[in-house]
Amino acid sequence: MEQNEPDRLTPAQVAAMRRSFRNGRASLTRRSLLRASAGGALAVGGLGALSACGIPAAGKTQGGTSAEDHSSKEKVVNFSNWPEYIDVDDSGKHHPTLEAFGRRTGITVKYTEDINDNNEFFGKIKPQLAAGQDTGRDLIVLTDWLAARVIRLGWVQKLDPANLPHAFANLSGQFRSPDWDPGRAYSYPWQGISTVIAYNKKALDGVEVKSVSDLLDTPKLKGRVGFLSEMRDSIGMTLLDMGKDPAKFTDDDFDAVIARLQKAVDKGQIRRFTGNDYTSDLTKGDLAACVAWGGDIVQLQADSPDVAYIIPDSGYMTSTDNMLVPNKARHKANAERLIDFYYEPDQAAALAGYVNYVSPVDGVKPYLEKIDKDAANNPLILPDKAMAAKSHAFRSLTQKEETAYEEKFAKLTGA
């Protein structure tokens, strides 16, 4: 593991964080409910202040730092997750899967929706983790690039395979061994996120779109094309289109993508770089086609018959939101039991049927068919083998690469 990561954010990283607050995935809940990023400006300032304090990185702690596990005596697990990212009953007051877990195990889940942005949440827990203190959380959900960072810093605990029989057996091969956590020693996916090409059939007016090249080079689409403000998604999809592997690209490959996208910006082909707010432009037809997140498209299609999507022949990008146990968590074994519970196919089906993102669990389809046949047959929720084979993940970045790439991407997007 690497350590001693610089704590001061670069201007490009601050810009990236502000993009996320303003229009990234943080700007909408996981059910696409518009929500202001309450306290966003304060959170940005707060994180900058934390960074300026020069909090030292944790010492190298292979497997993280455990505390005395109180799971057997304290039947509780403190779970922090993103808003609207779990099943809810019709009353809006109960989470059926969490309550089923409690009835079976006698463990109470204290569930908190306090992750609105990866960087903001990292700012909350960083002082405690750096100081070797308990965060008060037993289970957290982080997007893959931040999960990679906390693993690299030694701030999360290695999971006990003995407590994860369903997770080990049922984890989809698509997600089994990311380069930042080979063999899933420290993390398991909560849900997957697919990046595809979406379009409005009426707005295309007969124009055929099958690839990123079509988005960038078709004159009739000038000013009606959108790309995402998340660097890994827009860069990754363009790398694939250029015949490059997002898991193995070089600095020169990255620069070639930036140059290609810059050309499209300069000639007015790309309307703008957005977060989830592309959904309104797409349904209205202001965007004819765009790079988009699969979970959004599933939800849009329920009300917008003109919205459709394609998987380019070159492939598509996949990322994950991941469950991890922080250092010094008091209830590690309880947290592992909860992770394993969500890898039982029937529980995974209940979750996938509500949130509409990619289920990372094999064997879900027959259970999901009983809940929602359309969802069970939607490859954006349950990718078939052909689709899964086209998925690609963005490789881990060093701190130096992340700084350099974010600076270049910020300049491209005007952030």
Side-chain angles (χ1 to χ4, degrees), residues 43-55:
V44 171
L47 182 52
L50 280 173
S51 299
C53 290
I55 298 168

Side-chain angles (χ1 to χ4, degrees), residues 49-269:
L50 280 173
S51 299
C53 290
I55 298 168
K60 188 173 183 180
T61 51
Q62 184 72 27
T65 303
S66 60
E68 180 183 353
D69 195 340
H70 298 267
S71 292
S72 61
K73 295 180 180 179
E74 298 177 7
K75 296 295 185 179
V76 65
V77 58
N78 297 297
F79 183 11
S80 284
N81 203 351
W82 298 72
E84 306 292 337
Y85 210 14
I86 197 169
D87 53 307
V88 179
D89 71 356
D90 291 340
S91 74
K93 297 178 181 179
H94 301 280
H95 302 300
T97 55
L98 289 181
E99 293 181 3
F101 174 78
R103 288 192 299 271
R104 182 194 300 181
T105 64
I107 298 169
T108 298
V109 181
K110 295 183 178 179
Y111 186 76
T112 308
E113 296 180 333
D114 61 345
I115 308 177
N116 291 297
D117 174 89
N118 282 290
N119 280 306
E120 180 216 6
F121 185 70
F122 185 58
K124 287 181 183 179
I125 63 176
K126 181 177 181 179
Q128 294 152 306
L129 291 173
Q133 299 171 351
D134 179 14
T135 66
R137 300 169 175 88
D138 302 306
L139 194 63
I140 58 178
V141 177
L142 303 178
T143 304
D144 45 20
W145 61 267
L146 184 54
R149 182 186 296 176
V150 295
I151 292 171
R152 187 173 69 234
L153 289 167
W155 287 354
V156 292
Q157 298 185 54
K158 183 172 281 190
L159 301 173
D160 184 351
N163 292 332
L164 298 160
H166 296 98
F168 181 80
N170 297 331
L171 175 61
S172 170
Q174 182 179 359
F175 303 111
R176 275 201 174 266
S177 196
D179 67 348
W180 48 269
D181 187 15
R184 290 289 180 180
Y186 298 91
S187 69
Y188 270 89
W190 175 249
Q191 296 288 278
I193 304 160
S194 297
T195 303
V196 299
I197 293 176
Y199 59 90
N200 183 307
K201 289 178 280 190
K202 185 179 293 185
L204 280 182
D205 193 25
V207 175
E208 190 172 54
V209 170
K210 291 186 175 182
S211 67
V212 169
S213 288
D214 291 336
L215 298 183
L216 296 175
D217 301 330
T218 304
K220 289 185 178 180
L221 297 181
K222 182 177 180 179
R224 299 191 297 139
V225 168
F227 274 71
L228 292 169
S229 58
E230 295 290 342
M231 179 187 73
R232 289 164 177 80
D233 294 312
S234 287
I235 295 294
M237 291 292 283
T238 311
L239 279 166
L240 288 169
D241 189 71
M242 296 172 69
K244 302 295 182 179
D245 185 348
K248 299 177 181 178
F249 69 91
T250 65
D251 287 348
D252 288 343
D253 294 333
F254 186 91
D255 289 344
V257 169
I258 291 290
R260 188 174 186 207
L261 293 173
Q262 187 66 60
K263 182 179 178 181
V265 169
D266 292 344
K267 69 180 182 180
Q269 185 77 7

Side-chain angles (χ1 to χ4, degrees), residues 31 87 97 191 298 344-384:
R31 295 290 292 178
D87 53 307
T97 55
Q191 296 288 278
V298 172
E344 296 178 17
D346 55 341
Q347 306 303 334
L351 179 62
Y354 187 84
V355 301
N356 293 160
Y357 278 79
V358 178
S359 175
V361 181
D362 282 340
V364 165
K365 188 168 185 176
Y367 297 95
L368 188 53
E369 284 177 335
K370 297 176 183 178
I371 300 169
D372 185 336
K373 287 187 177 181
D374 289 339
N377 292 305
N378 191 329
L380 291 177
I381 298 174
L382 299 181
D384 56 27

